Amino acid sequence: MRTAEDRTASEALAPDALRSTAEPSEARHARRLGPAFWIASAWIILVVLGALLAGVLPIDSPYALAYTPLAGPSLHHLFGTDELGRDTFSRVVYGARISLEVGFGSMVVGLGIGGTAGLIAGYVQGTFDAISNMVANLILSFPALLLLMAVVAFWGRAWWQITVIIGVIAIAPLFRVVRASSLSFSGRDFVVAAKALGATRWRILTRELLPNVLPAAVSISLIGVALAIVAEGTLSFLGLSVAPPTPTWGNLIAEGQSSIARSDAWITFWPSVVMFLTLLALNVVGDRLQHRFDVREGRL
Amino acid sequence: MIRFVGIRLLQFAGVLIAVSFFTFLLVHLLPGNPAIAILGPAASKQAVQSLDRQLGLDRSIPAAYAVWLGHTLTGNLGRSLITRQSVAGDIARALPVDIELLVGSQIIALAAAIPLAFLAARRPGGLLDEAASTLTFGMLAIPSFVVAVIMQQVFAVHLGLVPATGFTPLTTNLAGNVKDMLLPCITIAIGSVTTYMRLLRADLIGTLQEDFITLARAKGLSGRRILLRHAFRPSTSSLLTVAGLSIGGVISGAFVVEYLFSLPGVGEQAITAINQHDYLLLQGDVLVFAVLFVLANFLVDLLYAVVDPRVRHAHG
């Protein structure tokens, strides 16, 4: 039932590989990561460090109600304050915690389960492949956000529960991508050679296939991190994620949105901008890495 | 063709059963005894027992599912735990809003994406093409709820062109309905436009390198005629598939838009149900959206085969 995805999974690797053999100069160009990649990486590292070290950094508590409400940006409050007089900059920095925990955590779950299953399914094929394909199809037969909302509503809205659910949803697409590339590598000469030399299945999977499949899988999961952050943000925005007063980017945007009528756009503006830059950076890094690894494959 | 439809129908039925079983199981995710979780610790023993019976918690899971499925197929989704109204009736009142959002947003998205893709495909790598692909990449990084907030602020609050919130039913006042729905539909459409455009552009560029296009060009046909008559048709099938898959995106968009613009659709109903712990209403809403999604993909699959003969022959 899923023709389009079948194609995107297998074609994800193909077009650039073709292009690189046809035009070597362009291939060399694609191999370079470029300045955009480094700027984007620096931003991601900055956001991650900010979230990790928020408690140690000389910034206000995100819960302190100590300041003039709805103040504009100033030297003391870079992003201004919200309607309860809390420092918006500090709330944005702390808000990154939930987004990053959910974003990276869910990809660890998704890649751990989906990636492992995909690696094995692509190599051994047969019954295991058929069953895991069916499971992936079933997960995909539910609209993702609906599934997320429904399970959160019935099960619970702690950050780890949201992480697990997004991770489970991510299993399906990651499984497909990894399975497709594992399948294509399985037929390559070096795998056949290893098999002829009497390598065990375990050895072929971990020593031959895994190192080849992993780079592309990781770069795709970086784009997955961005999607997971959007999913958590949407949930937060609708008031269905981690409960206030814990700041999250989604609930900050929602809070500001309800007070914009009083011409205070800052509260929505800052978390939106930080979120936009982070998502853009994750997409750029994931995209560049994916191109780089595809080219390497095509040049072999 | 008949065999193709038959296989697809079987798959469709299988997915429907899986989706409905999962929706049915949701109640069992509630921590502890679901009936007590729903009614609260102060509930009387009688009330708990009666809810147990209603939810089928006093039976084994397969037996309870069979009973639940029977009720569901006859249109009985139980009663709301808050308002005591019939869940099926509540959903029937809310669903037209979602259908309108779905149809409206997809028409707008296609109307914008098709001309843009043609313009971009005419000169791949040209200024317009580069601008469009940069914009597409940027749009990936803007969550739909941020788009919705910006749209509402700019067009409804600051410019005052349309109302910021509220809903007029189609049957009451056509002009009022269009005014209320235009901004929500555009907001959802923005999410689909970039996907459609990127796909159609890539497809068109691919098709334009085929031999039959070279032939048409050699025969001296005009560039516009080649684009419209020769290159577009083969691309419609992939556009269709993506349109089917993007229904999922439209459903998430519907949640955001209905919440923000206060439209009385199924998405808004589900959010209210979550906040009020009205689990049976929520279960009904989830079921309706899930079935809508599966149905849309099934129909797209059939249409796909109609448009592209290679599909129906490849599958027998």
Side-chain angles (χ1 to χ4, degrees):
Chain A
M1 258 179 93
R2 310 244 141 217
T3 359
E5 275 161 310
D6 280 334
R7 281 195 315 159
T8 45
S10 54
E11 278 176 7
L13 298 164
D16 291 286
L18 290 176
R19 211 198 305 154
S20 72
T21 43
E23 290 168 66
S25 64
E26 199 172 323
R28 218 172 296 131
H29 180 70
R31 263 177 80 94
R32 275 190 30 226
L33 291 169
F37 172 85
W38 296 109
I39 297 170
S41 307
W43 174 259
I44 295 171
I45 292 169
L46 186 74
V47 172
V48 170
L49 281 181
L52 280 176
L53 303 176
V56 194
L57 292 174
I59 56 174
D60 299 300
S61 153
Y63 305 111
L65 311 175
Y67 309 103
T68 325
L70 295 175
S74 67
L75 220 59
H76 288 291
H77 306 291
L78 284 177
F79 291 178
T81 57
D82 69 6
E83 34 177 358
L84 295 175
R86 296 174 295 197
D87 180 59
T88 303
F89 178 74
S90 132
R91 288 183 71 72
V92 170
V93 172
Y94 276 91
R97 285 187 167 177
I98 297 283
S99 294
L100 295 175
E101 279 165 0
V102 171
F104 285 98
S106 60
M107 284 311 117
V108 170
V109 175
L111 204 56
I113 301 175
T116 312
L119 184 73
I120 299 173
Y123 180 64
V124 304
Q125 293 155 40
T127 325
F128 180 77
D129 188 32
I131 292 173
S132 29
N133 248 319
M134 217 167 77
V135 174
N137 277 335
L138 282 182
I139 296 178
L140 287 170
S141 64
F142 242 98
L145 186 76
L146 181 71
L147 186 61
L148 177 62
M149 277 184 55
V151 180
V152 166
F154 283 96
W155 190 32
R157 49 171 81 169
W159 74 267
W160 65 269
Q161 285 167 314
I162 296 171
T163 304
V164 169
I165 305 160
I166 298 181
V168 169
I169 296 171
I171 288 175
L174 289 173
F175 165 79
R176 280 162 176 272
V177 171
V178 175
R179 176 187 171 275
S181 78
S182 168
L183 189 67
S184 78
F185 278 110
S186 293
R188 295 277 276 268
D189 291 344
F190 65 89
V191 176
V192 179
K195 219 186 285 181
L197 286 169
T200 58
R201 251 184 195 184
W202 171 254
R203 197 188 155 85
I204 290 177
L205 283 174
T206 54
R207 294 290 185 83
E208 309 292 342
L209 291 175
L210 186 64
N212 284 299
V213 167
L214 201 60
V218 169
S219 30
I220 285 171
S221 349
L222 280 175
I223 296 170
V225 170
L227 291 173
I229 290 178
V230 171
E232 190 282 328
T234 309
L235 218 52
S236 264
F237 179 76
L238 299 175
L240 306 175
S241 178
V242 183
T246 308
T248 70
W249 289 344
N251 73 24
L252 288 176
I253 293 171
E255 268 169 37
Q257 182 272 323
S258 59
S259 69
I260 282 180
R262 295 194 299 274
S263 80
D264 188 73
W266 294 115
I267 303 168
T268 285
F269 179 75
W270 292 114
S272 302
V273 168
V274 172
M275 193 170 181
F276 168 73
L277 290 177
T278 309
L279 296 174
L280 191 66
L282 284 165
N283 277 316
V284 167
V285 171
D287 188 69
R288 294 309 302 158
L289 285 179
Q290 214 178 319
H291 277 254
R292 188 189 162 100
F293 292 124
D294 285 352
V295 169
R296 193 185 66 173
E297 190 212 343
R299 285 165 66 89
L300 276 174
Chain B
M1 187 70 189
I2 291 172
R3 214 186 128 202
F4 174 81
V5 174
I7 292 172
R8 285 295 138 108
L9 261 176
L10 276 179
Q11 281 178 346
F12 176 57
V15 173
L16 270 188
I17 289 173
V19 162
S20 68
F21 184 63
F22 180 79
T23 311
F24 156 81
L25 276 184
L26 279 175
V27 174
H28 293 262
L29 279 173
L30 286 169
N33 179 339
I36 295 174
I38 291 169
L39 295 171
S44 71
K45 210 166 186 169
Q46 222 173 351
V48 170
Q49 269 172 0
S50 116
L51 188 63
D52 269 344
R53 227 184 349 269
Q54 194 187 342
L55 299 178
L57 296 169
D58 52 350
R59 282 177 246 254
S60 71
I61 286 183
Y65 174 65
V67 173
W68 179 83
L69 192 62
H71 284 313
T72 302
L73 288 176
T74 52
N76 174 8
L77 289 167
R79 289 185 175 281
S80 156
L81 299 164
I82 306 290
T83 61
R84 310 304 303 162
Q85 301 258 22
S86 139
V87 168
D90 279 354
I91 293 174
R93 266 191 299 282
L95 198 58
V97 178
D98 294 273
I99 305 285
E100 220 188 312
L101 277 177
L102 184 74
V103 174
S105 65
Q106 293 310 291
I107 291 175
I108 295 173
L110 287 174
I114 294 175
L116 282 174
F118 273 119
L119 287 174
R122 254 159 61 131
R123 263 188 220 96
L127 188 67
L128 196 85
D129 190 33
E130 287 294 320
S133 64
T134 311
L135 190 71
T136 313
F137 203 78
M139 284 303 297
L140 278 178
I142 307 180
S144 62
F145 62 94
V146 175
V147 173
V149 169
I150 295 173
M151 296 291 284
Q152 191 185 42
Q153 286 309 313
V154 173
F155 293 103
V157 177
H158 288 293
L159 297 179
L161 296 177
V162 286
T165 57
F167 178 71
T168 320
L170 190 64
T171 43
T172 324
N173 179 348
L174 181 67
N177 175 272
V178 170
K179 243 184 156 176
D180 286 337
M181 293 300 273
L182 192 62
L183 203 52
C185 283
I186 294 177
T187 305
I188 297 181
I190 288 176
S192 307
V193 168
T194 50
T195 326
Y196 291 170
M197 196 207 129
R198 205 169 36 162
L199 178 94
L200 189 57
R201 171 198 165 273
D203 243 32
L204 282 175
I205 291 175
T207 313
L208 286 176
Q209 285 164 356
E210 299 263 354
D211 289 344
F212 68 88
I213 299 289
T214 316
L215 177 71
R217 216 164 259 157
K219 279 165 66 183
L221 292 181
S222 71
R224 184 189 302 169
R225 200 183 156 86
I226 290 174
L227 267 178
L228 292 177
R229 302 289 291 270
H230 297 259
F232 183 53
R233 170 94 199 260
S235 301
T236 44
S237 55
S238 41
L239 200 60
L240 258 178
T241 317
V242 174
L245 291 169
S246 78
I247 302 277
V250 175
I251 290 177
S252 8
F255 277 109
V256 170
V257 157
E258 287 172 20
Y259 175 78
L260 195 60
F261 294 91
S262 310
L263 302 175
V266 177
E268 197 260 354
Q269 193 175 61
I271 294 168
T272 313
I274 293 175
N275 288 327
Q276 298 182 334
H277 304 287
D278 194 347
Y279 292 109
L280 282 190
L281 182 58
L282 177 59
Q283 196 180 35
D285 291 336
V286 171
L287 185 70
V288 165
F289 269 153
V291 168
L292 199 68
F293 182 68
V294 176
L295 183 69
N297 276 302
F298 170 67
L299 291 178
V300 161
D301 262 0
L302 290 187
L303 269 178
Y304 193 43
V306 172
V307 178
D308 191 343
R310 284 170 299 186
V311 175
R312 46 177 193 264
H313 293 304
H315 291 258

